[in-house]
Amino acid sequence: MLIAAGALVAGTVTVLPAAPAGAGEPAPRPFPPLIWTGCATKAYPKLQCATVKAPLNHDDPAGRTVTLALTRIPHTAKTFQGPLLVNPGGPGGSGRGMAGYVAASLPPKVAAEYDVIGFDPRGVGKSEPALDCKPGHFAPVRPDSVPDGAEGERLAVERAQDFAAACGKKYADVLPYIDTVSTARDLDVIRRALGAQKINYLGYSYGTYLGAVYARLHPDRVRRMALDSVVNPHGVWYEDNIAQDFAFDTRHKDFMAWVARQDAVYKLGTDPAAVEAAWYRMRDALRAKPAGGKVGPGELEDTFLPGGYYNGYWPRLAGAFSAYVNDADPAPLTEAYERYGEADAAADNGYSVYTSVQCRDAAWPRDWSVWRKDSWDVHAKAPFSTWNNAWYNAPCAFWPVDSLTPPDVSNDQVPPVLILQATDDAATPYEGGVALHRLMRGSSLVVEEGGGNHGVTFGGNTCLDDHLADYLATGEVPRGQDGAEVDAVCAALPEPKPAPLTRSAGAPAEPSGSVLHGFLGHVR
């Protein structure tokens, strides 16, 4: 998850070139034509796959390479607008499945004019080498994320140290090159391999930061760029994680208030504070007796955290909560954990890349006492996931590779960029969208007023989808009145309807939702 806690240990700013980075760069190696082979799925019968080699170290283009795995839904219209690269975020999220999803979600006329390109970033999924520092790191039942005394904290710190050491031992020669700038330079390798003068780009979550870095490196190679649910570039990464701690706690309270409004169904009370207190009592009970032998307090947080990304999960989560509290039935809670929170091999890979990128990208405190103080301070105000998130990011305190410094992504040369942001997004709080809008001159900010989901396009809001489709079709962005920071506003979708989870009725169906909820897995 992009969350941790505390005060940023500030670093200097790396200034990336604000113009084409051709002069002074090592000469790129020539590319043979990509060989696309059919890799159809039932859902996406036109899907094609290919691979391309990129330098492990872009400053040594003749040296060791990594393999990047690509997918494509080819254009079918006579009008061809070029490649549209899509990325779901993470860092560590696999994007190969997104080509088919995005092509199917766009209006057919728009999709037909693009080659929609998915890719697994370096280290991820089908790209090689794929990182997996310590398989089973999230196997249940983990120690309670909230430390119970010095001994509990010591054991958790050792666990984070062990993960960092395992990464360093397995991937010492690779870790210095798993970072956002290297990945952005991979995008240009993909562009050249596709034979395109410019790329179009659609990025979500961390993918917005990746896109902004690419646009700073190569503004003249960007044709169109849409960024959905925006990372705040001023907080990469420690301060952004603090903001998330508070935002996820607020979103969890929103969920508790929704449960209280549905008391006729879930019977957990009509007072949001009382419902929240019941949730924390459930958490305490799971410390003594994990549900199904696998859902302790940390796993409970893992299970409910996705509800902060997408409220379509609320009915199932509320049903599991109700069954545990009112019926002493842990089975629905265990099932919810297996559906939303349990890590698999793909999650292990995603987390390995997540830590590798975040720990390398920017400075983190190396003194654990800073983390301790910050985490307890934030936990006192936002207890839902602060310590869970602190441990998620804690390997960065002990990372075996020195950190870089975050680049300046301000840009006055890139063509108009479309930014889409929900006001109540927890994973990438609203301030990030505003900040990037201010940094990218000529960009347009479209806001989902009152929306709390993460990844707002293709989630059923036709207003947002129309803005994205119009932009990809024409390159035109909405413009607000002179002096207005927001260029267009879309109303949020209605809240989900309650649906209790019972053994007789089965699990409630979930509506089609955020483009991210099917791709994030355990990468947060």
Side-chain angles (χ1 to χ4, degrees):
M1 183 168 58
L2 285 175
I3 58 175
L8 180 67
V9 176
T12 59
V13 174
T14 298
V15 179
L16 295 177
E25 284 190 356
R29 64 178 74 194
F31 283 102
L34 287 176
I35 300 173
W36 293 99
T37 59
C39 54
T41 66
K42 184 176 181 180
Y44 309 121
K46 297 180 180 179
L47 193 68
Q48 300 173 346
C49 293
T51 59
V52 64
K53 300 286 188 181
L56 173 65
N57 177 2
H58 283 279
D59 292 330
D60 181 17
R64 180 179 171 184
T65 62
V66 296
T67 300
L68 306 176
L70 314 178
T71 56
R72 177 178 75 167
I73 299 291
H75 74 284
T76 57
K78 291 182 179 179
T79 300
F80 179 45
Q81 301 215 47
L84 172 62
L85 276 63
V86 294
N87 179 270
S94 170
R96 292 173 76 248
M98 280 198 73
Y101 185 92
V102 170
S105 300
L106 285 169
K109 184 177 179 180
V110 177
E113 295 180 351
Y114 287 94
D115 284 348
V116 184
I117 308 294
F119 63 97
D120 281 352
R122 56 174 54 204
V124 176
K126 296 294 185 181
S127 291
E128 297 176 353
L131 276 56
D132 191 349
C133 295
K134 193 173 183 182
H137 182 69
F138 288 99
V141 174
R142 306 194 307 274
D144 189 346
S145 55
V146 180
D148 183 14
E151 179 64 10
E153 181 180 344
R154 183 187 67 80
L155 293 173
V157 167
E158 288 181 356
R159 185 170 174 272
Q161 290 173 321
D162 289 347
F163 184 87
C167 288
K169 183 177 181 180
K170 291 181 74 171
Y171 303 112
D173 54 344
V174 174
L175 290 186
Y177 310 106
I178 307 295
D179 61 88
T180 298
V181 173
S182 294
T183 304
R185 296 177 77 175
D186 287 344
L187 295 184
D188 211 53
V189 170
I190 295 172
R191 177 195 63 80
R192 297 195 337 257
L194 293 169
Q197 293 298 312
K198 298 185 178 185
I199 65 167
N200 306 280
Y201 181 85
L202 171 60
Y204 293 85
S205 193
Y206 165 78
T208 66
Y209 183 62
L210 175 61
V213 171
Y214 180 82
R216 175 69 186 206
L217 284 167
H218 302 297
D220 62 319
R221 300 173 195 171
V222 175
R223 183 173 178 270
R224 290 172 193 165
M225 179 171 285
L227 305 177
D228 184 331
S229 303
V230 175
V231 165
N232 190 335
H234 296 310
V236 174
W237 288 111
Y238 198 58
E239 280 188 341
D240 279 347
N241 287 313
I242 301 168
Q244 283 188 321
D245 284 337
F246 287 107
F248 271 106
D249 192 81
T250 297
R251 194 63 180 151
H252 186 63
K253 286 179 168 61
D254 291 342
F255 174 39
M256 297 294 100
W258 178 85
V259 173
R261 290 194 294 274
Q262 314 301 334
D263 181 58
V265 176
Y266 300 115
K267 303 187 184 308
L268 288 162
T270 59
D271 178 7
V275 174
E276 187 177 17
W279 191 90
Y280 282 102
R281 286 196 300 273
M282 175 174 66
R283 188 189 187 284
D284 290 341
L286 292 170
R287 184 185 301 111
K289 185 179 180 181
K294 64 193 317 185
V295 185
E299 289 75 25
L300 181 74
E301 291 158 349
D302 294 348
T303 302
F304 279 75
L305 191 73
Y309 284 87
Y310 174 54
N311 64 9
Y313 297 151
W314 288 3
R316 185 187 294 265
L317 292 172
F321 178 17
S322 175
Y324 185 89
V325 171
N326 293 324
D327 303 326
D329 182 2
L333 192 60
T334 304
E335 293 164 4
Y337 166 69
E338 292 168 349
R339 185 177 182 89
Y340 302 129
E342 192 167 29
D344 56 13
D348 287 341
N349 166 240
Y351 180 64
S352 297
V353 176
Y354 170 92
T355 48
S356 298
V357 170
Q358 294 229 332
C359 299
R360 177 67 168 151
D361 264 3
W364 295 75
R366 292 288 183 158
D367 181 350
W368 181 253
S369 66
V370 175
W371 293 68
R372 178 190 302 116
K373 180 181 184 303
D374 292 343
S375 296
W376 281 121
D377 287 349
V378 177
H379 175 83
K381 302 172 184 176
F384 168 57
S385 62
T386 293
W387 271 107
N388 186 309
N389 175 53
W391 300 122
Y392 199 82
N393 290 280
C396 293
F398 313 105
W399 202 244
V401 180
D402 290 339
S403 295
L404 302 171
T405 48
D408 173 12
V409 297
S410 61
N411 205 317
D412 61 3
Q413 298 186 40
V414 73
V417 171
L418 181 67
I419 296 173
L420 304 112
Q421 183 71 43
T423 58
D424 299 335
D425 182 358
T428 52
Y430 177 73
E431 292 76 14
V434 173
L436 190 62
H437 178 42
R438 293 173 178 171
L439 289 173
M440 302 188 92
R441 192 176 73 178
S443 63
S444 175
L445 177 60
V446 177
V447 170
E448 185 183 34
E449 185 67 39
N453 290 338
H454 182 61
V456 293
T457 52
F458 305 142
N461 191 319
T462 55
C463 174
L464 294 165
D465 292 349
D466 287 348
H467 279 296
L468 176 60
D470 290 346
Y471 174 66
L472 292 177
T474 68
E476 296 180 3
V477 295
R479 294 296 184 195
Q481 297 179 349
D482 290 344
E485 185 132 62
V486 175
D487 294 286
V489 176
C490 295
L493 295 174
E495 290 183 334
K497 295 181 179 180
L501 176 62
T502 65
R503 294 199 174 192
S504 59
E510 288 164 355
S512 173
S514 161
V515 66
L516 295 182
H517 84 270
F519 294 97
L520 281 170
H522 206 74
V523 179
R524 297 183 265 178

